[in-house]
Amino acid sequence: MSITSALSNALSGLGAMSRGAEVTSSNLANVLTEGYAPRSLELGVHSAISGVSVLGVHRSVDQGLLGDRRLATAETAFAQAQAKFTASLDTEIGASGDQASLAGRAAAFEASLVAAASRPDQSTRLDAAADAAQHIANKFNSISDRIQTLRSTADLEISQAVKTINTGLQKMQAMNEKIVAAQARGQSAVGLMDQRQVLVDQLSEYLPLRQVPRDNGATSLFTVGGVTLLDGRAAQFEFSNTQVIAPHMTLENGLLSGLSVNGAQIIPSGARSPISDGKLSGLFSVRDHLSVTAQSRVDALARNLVERFQSPTLDSTRPPGSAGLFTDDGAVFDPMNEVGLSARLSLSVAVDKAEGGQPQRLRDGLNAIAFGPSGNAVLLQQLQSAVSDVTALTSSDLPPVERSFSGHLANLSSVMGQERLTSDQTLSFARANESELIGQEKEMGVDSDAEMQNLLVIEQLYAANARMIQTLDDMMQTLLRI
């Protein structure tokens, strides 16, 4: 080997080790940086002169593990949206043993009728029965309002999610263009790739997506169901927020906005949805499925309550076809107008003290012209029987089993409690799966111990190359002196 070749080798080695020290230092400095992937130096033999050549900086990422973790993130966000809804609604309905729950209100009403029937002459007991009836109507109203509030909240969050997705996809398109341009100039784009990975991670909370590499460092995004999110140009999601949502408003009847991508309508949730899983699909599921089912259940129970007291055989003072003790916003209930009944449920003005009614009509009849004997408990006993009689629900997805009114409410509490438990378990599993994949991903990240050892090796190699240059310099000086 000539002195020139040896000098070339040493100088190229110094340059490579200097670049290696820079890469290793960057790894150590970014151990906790989100989206940072470990770097390693790619070396090769210099083709023109003898020595080592820096081919580039390799960004170490396990794309398979990264993709699985992103899908797990989407599943967790989907489960979280559903668990939040079921927990909120279950809390509003309440447990069967809670006095403030719907079942507790019904039990108190039935007990007040029994107490009033035992002493129909006591106005305080009649007042308590009227108040208990009012509490039931108010509780139904509160539950329905809560459902619609949750729907409105989901609708608003959908609008915000769509804006976030559109912004993220636009940034992804711009980042792709920067990476392609950098590589075309022969510059390293690993830093830009880190930023792009963070953008994709943020989008993966909303959509179950897959990342596909393209030429020149670009990348494309697709949902697992096949919707193109980014392939050269970013897709555009469209959605219109609805400020106030009522029980009768659904996606199916066109009163609520659907979701479109580049002008094409897609199914936003359910097994046939191309974006199933992810926060966006979870919010649509809450707005269009879970809440609609919950509303139908509560409306069916409100209907059962109204029809029990609207029976023509109950209270001979009522004209045929008139409303009973519980009304549809003051009117007789029409079975064709069941949707939203729980929101409209109200106590008859005949006994509602707030509306000038008289609780004594529970004893004497809603349309009694004059008060009857104070000791007459026949109607009160009939009202109590109306509550305790077993009937079957005529609508909703609850089992059509004959039960007392309290039995139907206890069944609703049981169903809601079970659904809450199921959604919590689903969320717990999704979080555990995501946490495990995040742990595996961190194991593939920067190993500070290995990087420190690598730094020591680089230091030794740098010193060896420097020693070679010093030795060559001494040889040249010796030759010049000779």
Side-chain angles (χ1 to χ4, degrees):
M1 177 184 294
S2 66
I3 293 177
T4 303
S5 298
L7 183 60
S8 176
N9 288 340
L11 289 174
S12 64
L14 280 179
M17 291 308 99
S18 176
R19 187 75 175 98
E22 179 184 341
V23 170
T24 303
S25 299
S26 176
N27 286 340
L28 289 170
N30 291 278
V31 171
L32 301 178
T33 302
E34 182 181 2
Y36 184 86
R39 273 79 153 142
S40 59
L41 203 62
E42 294 186 34
L43 302 176
V45 178
H46 203 292
S47 58
I49 60 175
S50 60
V52 65
S53 174
V54 178
L55 301 179
V57 178
H58 176 68
R59 185 172 176 270
S60 302
V61 177
D62 187 335
Q63 293 295 341
L65 178 60
L66 182 60
D68 290 342
R69 194 264 298 162
R70 286 170 176 166
L71 293 180
T73 298
E75 291 175 1
T76 299
F78 178 87
Q80 192 167 19
Q82 295 197 322
K84 182 180 178 181
F85 171 83
T86 54
S88 180
L89 183 58
D90 184 49
T91 300
E92 182 65 35
I93 293 174
S96 298
D98 184 2
Q99 293 182 351
S101 69
L102 184 58
R105 301 288 191 189
F109 175 54
E110 188 171 0
S112 69
L113 289 176
V114 173
S118 66
R119 289 298 302 273
D121 58 314
Q122 291 190 358
S123 60
T124 54
R125 298 197 179 192
L126 295 174
D127 290 347
D131 290 341
Q134 184 65 67
H135 290 328
I136 290 182
N138 291 343
K139 188 61 176 178
F140 270 105
N141 299 158
S142 175
I143 294 172
S144 180
D145 290 344
R146 184 59 179 164
I147 292 173
Q148 300 316 309
T149 298
L150 292 172
R151 294 185 78 195
S152 297
T153 301
D155 192 83
L156 178 60
E157 290 185 9
I158 290 171
S159 178
Q160 295 170 344
V162 166
K163 292 179 182 178
T164 300
I165 291 171
N166 285 333
T167 301
L169 291 176
Q170 290 294 332
K171 290 181 178 179
M172 279 286 297
Q173 178 181 331
M175 195 63 67
N176 265 347
E177 293 170 353
K178 290 180 180 179
I179 291 172
V180 171
Q183 293 200 344
R185 294 191 299 266
Q187 298 174 342
S188 175
V190 289
L192 296 174
M193 291 179 181
D194 285 341
Q195 297 178 38
R196 184 175 64 186
Q197 179 173 319
V198 172
L199 288 175
V200 179
D201 288 346
Q202 292 171 349
L203 289 173
S204 68
E205 177 185 355
Y206 297 92
L207 298 165
L209 49 81
R210 288 292 191 187
Q211 185 174 0
V212 179
R214 298 301 189 195
D215 295 336
N216 302 319
T219 190
S220 296
L221 291 179
F222 303 89
T223 68
V224 175
V227 176
T228 301
L229 303 175
L230 175 68
D231 196 9
R233 297 190 61 82
Q236 181 71 24
F237 282 68
E238 296 176 357
F239 174 82
S240 298
N241 174 235
T242 303
Q243 297 296 328
V244 179
I245 297 181
H248 69 282
M249 300 171 66
T250 64
L251 178 63
E252 286 71 19
N253 61 23
L255 296 179
L256 293 179
S257 173
L259 182 69
S260 64
V261 181
N262 292 334
Q265 290 286 329
I266 65 171
I267 301 174
S269 63
R272 296 172 53 222
S273 172
I275 62 168
S276 60
D277 288 342
K279 184 176 182 178
L280 183 60
S281 179
L283 292 172
F284 270 107
S285 177
V286 168
R287 192 198 70 171
D288 299 328
H289 299 290
L290 297 183
S291 58
V292 172
T293 299
Q295 184 71 48
S296 70
R297 291 172 177 172
V298 179
D299 288 342
L301 291 171
R303 173 179 178 175
N304 184 264
L305 177 64
V306 170
E307 290 178 338
R308 286 172 183 269
F309 294 93
Q310 195 171 280
S311 172
T313 62
L314 184 65
D315 188 358
S316 60
T317 67
R318 288 192 300 112
S322 64
L325 179 61
F326 293 96
T327 71
D328 184 352
D329 199 17
V332 65
F333 168 64
D334 180 2
M336 299 301 294
N337 191 29
E338 179 180 330
V339 177
L341 175 61
S342 56
R344 306 188 303 269
L345 186 67
S346 62
L347 186 64
S348 172
V349 295
V351 297
D352 187 356
K353 292 185 292 184
E355 298 293 334
Q358 298 169 311
Q360 289 86 346
R361 293 185 181 278
L362 290 172
R363 178 192 64 200
D364 302 323
L366 295 180
N367 296 89
I369 299 175
F371 293 140
S374 61
N376 184 9
V378 174
L379 181 56
L380 288 169
Q381 292 171 348
Q382 291 176 344
L383 293 175
Q384 193 275 326
S385 296
V387 178
S388 59
D389 287 345
V390 292
T391 61
L393 298 179
T394 55
S395 58
S396 89
D397 66 336
L398 293 174
V401 180
E402 291 189 345
R403 293 186 174 94
S404 66
F405 184 65
S406 296
H408 285 305
L409 296 184
N411 181 56
L412 174 65
S413 297
S414 175
V415 170
M416 289 305 305
Q418 182 60 47
E419 289 185 352
R420 179 176 183 176
L421 177 62
T422 300
S423 62
D424 287 345
Q425 290 175 340
T426 301
L427 176 58
S428 178
F429 176 80
R431 281 176 170 168
N433 183 42
E434 181 187 18
S435 178
E436 176 63 25
L437 292 172
I438 289 175
Q440 295 179 18
E441 191 175 11
K442 288 182 177 179
E443 290 178 1
M444 300 294 294
V446 176
D447 184 343
S448 57
D449 292 337
E451 294 297 333
M452 290 300 296
Q453 293 174 6
N454 191 35
L455 198 59
L456 291 175
V457 173
I458 290 173
E459 181 182 359
Q460 293 171 357
L461 293 175
Y462 191 94
N465 282 288
R467 179 59 181 166
M468 173 64 74
I469 293 176
Q470 181 63 50
T471 301
L472 292 174
D473 181 64
D474 291 343
M475 292 176 62
M476 291 295 293
Q477 292 299 329
T478 300
L479 291 173
L480 288 174
R481 284 195 301 271
I482 292 175

